[in-house]
Amino acid sequence: MICSKCHFENPSDAVYCGNCGTSLELSQEITVSKAEELNRPMKELVIGSTFTGRYQIIEELGIGGMGTVYRALDKKLDEDVVLKLIKPEIASDQKVIEQFSDELKLARKISHRNVGRTYEIQEDKGTHYIIMEYVSGQDLRRLIRQTGKLTLEKSISLAKQMCEGLAEAHRVGVIHRDLKSSNIMVDSEGNVRIMDFGLARSLEKKGKTMAGAMIGTPSYMPPEQVEGKKADQRSDIYSLGVILYEMVTGRVPFEGDTVLGVIMKQRSEVPRDPRELNTQIPEDLSRVILRCLEKDREKRYQRAEELLSELTRIEKRIFSSGSVLTKKKFFASTDIKAAIRKRWVMITAVLLLVAVVAGRAFLYFRNNKPVFASSEKKALVVLPFENLGLPEDEYFADGLTEEITSRLSALHGIRVISRTSAVKYKNTDKTIKQIGEELGVDYVLEGSVRWNRSSANNGGVRITQQLIRVSGDTHIWSEQYDRVIEDIFSVQSEIAEEVAKKLDLAILEPERKALNARPTENLEAYDFLLKGSKHESQGWLYSDAGEFEKALELYEKAVELDPGFALAYARISMVHSRMYFFGIDTTEERLVKTRVAADRAVQLQPDLPDAQMALALYYYRGLLDYDRALEIFETIQKALPNIPPNLLGYVQRRQGNWENALETLKKAFKLSPRYSQLAYEIGLTYLSMRRYEKAKEWFNRTLSINPNHLAARLGKIGILILSKGNTEEARGLLTELPQHRLTDFMWITLGLIEKNHQEVLNYLDSLPYDSFKEQHFYFEKNLAYASVYHAMKEFSLMATYAERARIIIERVVRESPRDPRFHAALGLAYAYLGRKEEAIQEGTRATALLPVSKDAALGPTYILNLARIYTVVGEYKEAMDNLTYLLSIPSSEFLWQIISVPSMRIDPMWEPLGELQEFRRLLGVTPKSD
């Protein structure tokens, strides 16, 4: 029997082609007329041509089981996409096409950083095609072939990301069914995208496989798929096990001369222990792989989260034990665009560091100078330049100050105080001597700026500045510049160079190049950047999402005017990541915008520190990839020693390196001694570690800088409750605070602790809002009412309000399924409704979305919430286990989610646990006699 696909001659009784595995029975069912239709040559697209008037073909990526795949430019959206033409033998069946459409709708529900997006299926003049997300990089199969096999570090990292992507897909009810290494894209930073979700399922639902279109790939297919049984999430786990086997050994577990031979092995043979092929594979990793490859799916891992947990445990054991070589940067892609990013990935230190500092001298970096400036360096602060023009030009003066500060910060021979501290002296009445003493600086640069817009063209600008030695209040240098606005960048450079000259600072040629940099040639675009920066600062200062949106709008106008404006793209990325990280918008779309803008900035100007910082913040805020963020940031820090290492300290805190975080944040404070928020963060770190006296000391320092710092004042109230259980004194301090959402929540918390239930109900009645969000907290008024009525044992009213809360929160969860705040709140609502299993499931889901292993600073928040859920539903032992664990580690950095033994003793929430002897011993209460 001749195979209609490959024309291999098979025995007359064969069911499958012995060469390619095609169903021979189905091949014979095709009529002559139908065969003529299917043999119609598939449309070929010429590189450079435009398909459907919209997609310009860039390159052919390959030919797969469904058809030819191209990379194309979507001219309408100005972005690269993948265009997959569907073979005529598949597209000829309208039912298959309809099924594709249905399944792609389902696949689009998957919104995850490790899953490639499939956008739509379309038809043009009889040719059906699918549009998918383009992922720069290469597929995993090719990568393995290039290297033979991957290191354990890379293999586990990639497998974990695949688990995370699969977990989200399975959660929304989508099974891949054709998971294989060629369907896994890996970019130059080692980020994974699982491609082709929903496609194999469409063929499976057809009922019969079209000739030449096998469901799944034999080398990766689990036995149940080989036997024609229905696939489920455990089928994907089997395929993932094959991929993991392939990564660590360089080969798949079952190989054969024919497809049919491989299929038979999948059904009957036991896979060879991967350690026989690679002796470096640990025994526990080998067991994990072989469990994935169990023939009986009941014996495999049942959920992707279980496999992820095992891999995480193994990874920690391997790399903490030092049994593996020091981590290296991930992959060097062969893709042309990815070559730009190689400076981030390769170990070639000189090239990388030159890119980061815009041309720092090679010799300097080899000297391996310390990150932080020594006390012997001269210290300078650039005070906010006074605006002498129109009030609406204030942003221009602020921008000029920031730019001069930034240029001087690139010099290694001086310590420059950060802008966040200098801005505190805007419109100050303090003398130069007072400012110098408070900041610990030797020199002050101050000045004024007037933009005369009435003159020709864009107007003229007058800048007057003076450099003052604090000791003796001596004027070292002063000058006035009268220039047209087009010369603004030259003036900034001249001022910075003159300051360096007057302070006898040696400037290497690469540093001079950085001092003379021009961010854009379009002054109108630059003006939009400065205006946007003003709104961004306001958004940060007042936690105002509207200000962030205004900043984005202005930054977008800047890049419209100058598409090559790298700094503007960097700012766009930073605002998006800030909104994502701080809970303003936690959608996948916001995260994608963060990465796209950061990539664009790096592509345009790889040596721009702001572009690199945008990328570091993407990894830190978006992916919680702390190692990658630190790698980039530490490089920037070496190049620009005057940037306070706040980010480094925050990352260390989230990694659980609390002592290192304190040390780093204190060093940052030396460069930003008037930055009240940084002082608060140090106090909060001490509070999380339950070192109350040190926390109080730093909260007081915060208030000495900014007496109105609300969080620091609330922190001191928190200390009273956490260290002593003193609610009376706490209440006295709370009465002194202004109306605010955080103050409201403290009143509610304190009222519940003191069992002043009617007071809390009255307070809730008076609130002018129904809900609010903080970074890792979600307040919903109906849920708060339910909590009060639960404490009052008014269970009917409790259920009424809990049901109202459930309806609202379920909608929020649907809109942001990856946000742990909403799952945590929903779990508590379910608990009050008596829906025990769902409550525990949602509470556990929140802990899985942000586990302590990923965020040691905020992960405990969700464990505490789960303990509350367990207590409400009567699972006291589980609640006890969670609380015991929380007391053994530094608690959450979120003030209202920190617990201590004194606070637990006075909180009625935990009274039901009092029957447990272990709980009473934990609180230091005499256990009850049996």
Side-chain angles (χ1 to χ4, degrees), residues 145-358:
R145 286 184 174 182
Q146 289 176 352
T147 60
K149 57 178 175 283
L150 306 185
T151 65
L152 296 180
E153 175 186 8
K154 292 177 182 176
S155 299
I156 294 176
S157 173
L158 296 180
K160 285 174 59 183
Q161 294 181 65
M162 286 180 251
C163 284
E164 292 184 353
L166 285 177
E168 179 61 19
H170 295 166
R171 190 187 71 79
V172 299
V174 180
I175 310 300
H176 194 290
R177 292 171 174 78
D178 191 20
L179 197 63
K180 53 189 174 185
S181 55
S182 59
N183 269 341
I184 307 298
M185 292 298 296
V186 184
D187 68 18
S188 58
E189 283 83 30
N191 299 314
V192 160
R193 294 286 197 289
I194 305 174
M195 311 302 291
D196 283 358
F197 261 104
L199 303 187
R201 178 184 173 97
S202 298
L203 291 176
E204 182 183 62
K205 284 199 171 183
K206 171 81 171 72
K208 289 184 178 181
T209 306
M210 298 300 297
M214 176 179 288
I215 303 170
T217 303
S219 294
Y220 300 85
M221 290 170 63
E224 60 268 20
Q225 276 185 266
V226 169
E227 295 169 1
K229 297 178 181 177
K230 184 178 180 180
D232 61 19
Q233 61 189 33
R234 295 167 296 181
S235 305
D236 283 348
I237 290 173
Y238 182 97
S239 300
L240 180 51
V242 175
I243 296 172
L244 187 49
Y245 192 109
E246 184 181 9
M247 287 192 290
V248 297
T249 68
R251 55 195 289 187
V252 293
F254 300 113
E255 299 175 318
D257 296 330
T258 66
V259 171
L260 189 57
V262 175
I263 289 175
M264 296 306 295
K265 289 181 180 181
Q266 293 282 23
R267 294 182 60 183
S268 58
E269 286 193 12
V270 176
R272 186 178 176 185
D273 191 321
R275 287 182 297 163
E276 297 177 14
L277 302 174
N278 182 356
T279 57
Q280 293 186 353
I281 300 174
E283 183 178 354
D284 50 0
L285 180 58
S286 177
R287 283 198 303 268
V288 166
I289 295 172
L290 293 176
R291 182 177 173 186
C292 292
L293 299 177
E294 286 283 356
K295 306 295 183 190
D296 183 355
R297 62 178 115 184
E298 294 294 334
K299 294 181 180 180
R300 297 174 207 154
Y301 294 101
Q302 301 299 292
R303 298 168 65 245
E305 290 91 342
E306 295 178 33
L307 177 55
L308 175 61
S309 177
E310 285 289 293
L311 292 173
T312 301
R313 179 186 60 78
I314 293 171
E315 182 181 51
K316 285 184 178 180
R317 182 190 61 76
I318 292 176
F319 300 122
S320 64
S321 66
S323 60
V324 176
L325 294 176
T326 304
K327 289 188 178 182
K328 296 182 180 180
K329 300 178 185 180
F330 219 86
F331 294 114
S333 174
T334 57
D335 184 272
I336 294 176
K337 279 191 174 181
I340 297 172
R341 299 190 185 102
K342 284 185 178 180
R343 67 192 70 247
W344 303 110
V345 184
M346 300 178 65
I347 295 299
T348 315
V350 175
L351 291 177
L352 176 62
L353 295 179
V354 169
V356 170
V357 303

Side-chain angles (χ1 to χ4, degrees), residues 573-587:
S573 178
M574 290 178 189
V575 174
H576 282 311
S577 69
R578 178 171 283 170
M579 295 179 75
Y580 181 88
F581 184 68
F582 289 98
I584 297 171
D585 178 6
T586 57
T587 61

Side-chain angles (χ1 to χ4, degrees), residues 825-843:
L826 183 57
L828 200 55
Y830 283 149
Y832 291 139
L833 290 170
R835 296 165 62 168
K836 179 176 177 179
E837 292 184 3
E838 292 168 287
I840 295 172
Q841 180 180 350
E842 289 298 319

Side-chain angles (χ1 to χ4, degrees), residues 551-597:
L552 285 173
E553 180 181 348
L554 291 164
Y555 291 153
E556 292 287 356
K557 287 182 179 179
V559 298
E560 285 176 13
L561 291 169
D562 180 3
F565 199 171
L567 179 58
Y569 279 109
R571 295 287 181 83
I572 289 170
S573 178
M574 290 178 189
V575 174
H576 282 311
S577 69
R578 178 171 283 170
M579 295 179 75
Y580 181 88
F581 184 68
F582 289 98
I584 297 171
D585 178 6
T586 57
T587 61
E588 193 72 14
E589 287 74 16
R590 183 70 64 175
L591 191 57
V592 169
K593 289 178 181 178
T594 301
R595 181 57 190 262
V596 168

Side-chain angles (χ1 to χ4, degrees), residues 35-245:
E36 291 177 353
E37 179 185 347
L38 299 184
N39 287 330
R40 172 169 50 87
M42 185 171 178
K43 187 177 182 105
E44 293 185 1
L45 303 180
V46 179
I47 305 303
S49 65
T50 300
F51 180 60
T52 75
R54 175 172 176 177
Y55 302 102
Q56 184 176 359
I57 306 303
I58 299 174
E59 62 178 319
E60 181 180 308
L61 298 176
I63 300 176
M66 293 185 59
T68 309
V69 184
Y70 298 90
R71 174 185 169 194
L73 171 66
D74 184 339
K75 295 197 294 184
K76 182 177 180 180
L77 299 179
D78 192 26
E79 64 179 24
D80 289 357
V81 297
V82 170
L83 189 153
K84 179 174 289 192
L85 298 189
I86 303 175
K87 289 180 177 180
E89 58 263 40
I90 297 175
S92 62
D93 193 310
Q94 185 60 33
K95 291 184 179 179
V96 171
I97 296 302
E98 291 174 358
Q99 191 61 50
F100 271 144
S101 298
D102 291 342
E103 294 304 328
L104 291 183
K105 290 177 183 177
L106 183 61
R108 280 201 297 266
K109 292 183 178 180
I110 310 171
S111 179
H112 193 274
R113 58 181 174 269
N114 297 125
V115 175
R117 303 299 298 273
T118 302
Y119 300 130
E120 58 184 345
I121 181 171
Q122 294 288 343
E123 183 265 340
D124 179 71
K125 298 178 182 178
T127 299
H128 287 79
Y129 60 95
I130 297 172
I131 299 300
M132 306 170 67
E133 174 188 11
Y134 172 71
V135 180
S136 176
Q138 59 184 319
D139 67 66
L140 180 56
R141 184 183 183 190
R142 185 178 306 172
L143 187 64
I144 295 171
R145 286 184 174 182
Q146 289 176 352
T147 60
K149 57 178 175 283
L150 306 185
T151 65
L152 296 180
E153 175 186 8
K154 292 177 182 176
S155 299
I156 294 176
S157 173
L158 296 180
K160 285 174 59 183
Q161 294 181 65
M162 286 180 251
C163 284
E164 292 184 353
L166 285 177
E168 179 61 19
H170 295 166
R171 190 187 71 79
V172 299
V174 180
I175 310 300
H176 194 290
R177 292 171 174 78
D178 191 20
L179 197 63
K180 53 189 174 185
S181 55
S182 59
N183 269 341
I184 307 298
M185 292 298 296
V186 184
D187 68 18
S188 58
E189 283 83 30
N191 299 314
V192 160
R193 294 286 197 289
I194 305 174
M195 311 302 291
D196 283 358
F197 261 104
L199 303 187
R201 178 184 173 97
S202 298
L203 291 176
E204 182 183 62
K205 284 199 171 183
K206 171 81 171 72
K208 289 184 178 181
T209 306
M210 298 300 297
M214 176 179 288
I215 303 170
T217 303
S219 294
Y220 300 85
M221 290 170 63
E224 60 268 20
Q225 276 185 266
V226 169
E227 295 169 1
K229 297 178 181 177
K230 184 178 180 180
D232 61 19
Q233 61 189 33
R234 295 167 296 181
S235 305
D236 283 348
I237 290 173
Y238 182 97
S239 300
L240 180 51
V242 175
I243 296 172
L244 187 49
Y245 192 109

Side-chain angles (χ1 to χ4, degrees), residues 232-518:
D232 61 19
Q233 61 189 33
R234 295 167 296 181
S235 305
D236 283 348
I237 290 173
Y238 182 97
S239 300
L240 180 51
V242 175
I243 296 172
L244 187 49
Y245 192 109
E246 184 181 9
M247 287 192 290
V248 297
T249 68
R251 55 195 289 187
V252 293
F254 300 113
E255 299 175 318
D257 296 330
T258 66
V259 171
L260 189 57
V262 175
I263 289 175
M264 296 306 295
K265 289 181 180 181
Q266 293 282 23
R267 294 182 60 183
S268 58
E269 286 193 12
V270 176
R272 186 178 176 185
D273 191 321
R275 287 182 297 163
E276 297 177 14
L277 302 174
N278 182 356
T279 57
Q280 293 186 353
I281 300 174
E283 183 178 354
D284 50 0
L285 180 58
S286 177
R287 283 198 303 268
V288 166
I289 295 172
L290 293 176
R291 182 177 173 186
C292 292
L293 299 177
E294 286 283 356
K295 306 295 183 190
D296 183 355
R297 62 178 115 184
E298 294 294 334
K299 294 181 180 180
R300 297 174 207 154
Y301 294 101
Q302 301 299 292
R303 298 168 65 245
E305 290 91 342
E306 295 178 33
L307 177 55
L308 175 61
S309 177
E310 285 289 293
L311 292 173
T312 301
R313 179 186 60 78
I314 293 171
E315 182 181 51
K316 285 184 178 180
R317 182 190 61 76
I318 292 176
F319 300 122
S320 64
S321 66
S323 60
V324 176
L325 294 176
T326 304
K327 289 188 178 182
K328 296 182 180 180
K329 300 178 185 180
F330 219 86
F331 294 114
S333 174
T334 57
D335 184 272
I336 294 176
K337 279 191 174 181
I340 297 172
R341 299 190 185 102
K342 284 185 178 180
R343 67 192 70 247
W344 303 110
V345 184
M346 300 178 65
I347 295 299
T348 315
V350 175
L351 291 177
L352 176 62
L353 295 179
V354 169
V356 170
V357 303
R360 281 296 301 160
F362 296 137
L363 180 60
Y364 181 85
F365 290 120
R366 291 192 182 119
N367 289 337
N368 193 26
K369 301 219 172 184
V371 171
F372 302 103
S374 69
S375 59
E376 297 177 358
K377 287 184 178 181
K378 298 171 183 177
L380 167 77
V381 62
V382 181
L383 294 181
F385 276 41
E386 183 182 0
N387 173 42
L388 299 180
L390 298 173
E392 54 265 31
D393 291 340
E394 186 79 15
Y395 75 93
F396 183 77
D398 292 341
L400 180 68
T401 308
E402 183 176 355
E403 185 62 29
I404 293 173
T405 303
S406 177
R407 291 173 189 251
L408 289 170
S409 294
L411 303 178
H412 282 71
I414 190 171
R415 180 167 62 92
V416 180
I417 297 300
S418 73
R419 172 85 174 128
T420 51
S421 282
V423 75
K424 305 298 182 183
Y425 295 96
K426 190 171 186 177
N427 302 320
T428 184
D429 293 329
K430 292 186 177 182
T431 65
I432 294 296
K433 182 178 180 181
Q434 288 174 316
I435 294 172
E437 290 176 350
E438 289 183 2
L439 295 177
V441 297
D442 307 299
Y443 300 92
V444 171
L445 179 68
E446 65 174 5
S448 62
V449 57
R450 181 192 298 275
W451 185 357
N452 182 9
R453 295 174 181 266
S454 61
S455 58
N457 298 325
N458 289 316
V461 61
R462 169 174 290 182
I463 301 173
T464 305
Q465 76 292 313
Q466 51 188 353
L467 181 64
I468 305 170
R469 180 185 289 112
V470 173
S471 175
D473 197 7
T474 307
H475 286 63
I476 297 177
W477 165 70
S478 64
E479 192 160 339
Q480 179 174 294
Y481 296 85
D482 286 296
R483 302 286 181 86
V484 294
I485 193 65
E486 284 80 2
D487 290 340
I488 188 63
F489 300 130
S490 299
V491 174
Q492 294 168 358
S493 300
E494 289 175 31
I495 292 174
E497 285 205 51
E498 193 62 32
V499 169
K501 180 179 177 181
K502 296 301 181 184
L503 297 182
D504 296 323
L505 300 177
I507 304 178
L508 298 174
E509 190 55 37
E511 288 180 325
R512 192 177 306 280
K513 181 180 177 182
L515 288 180
N516 293 325
R518 296 176 67 88

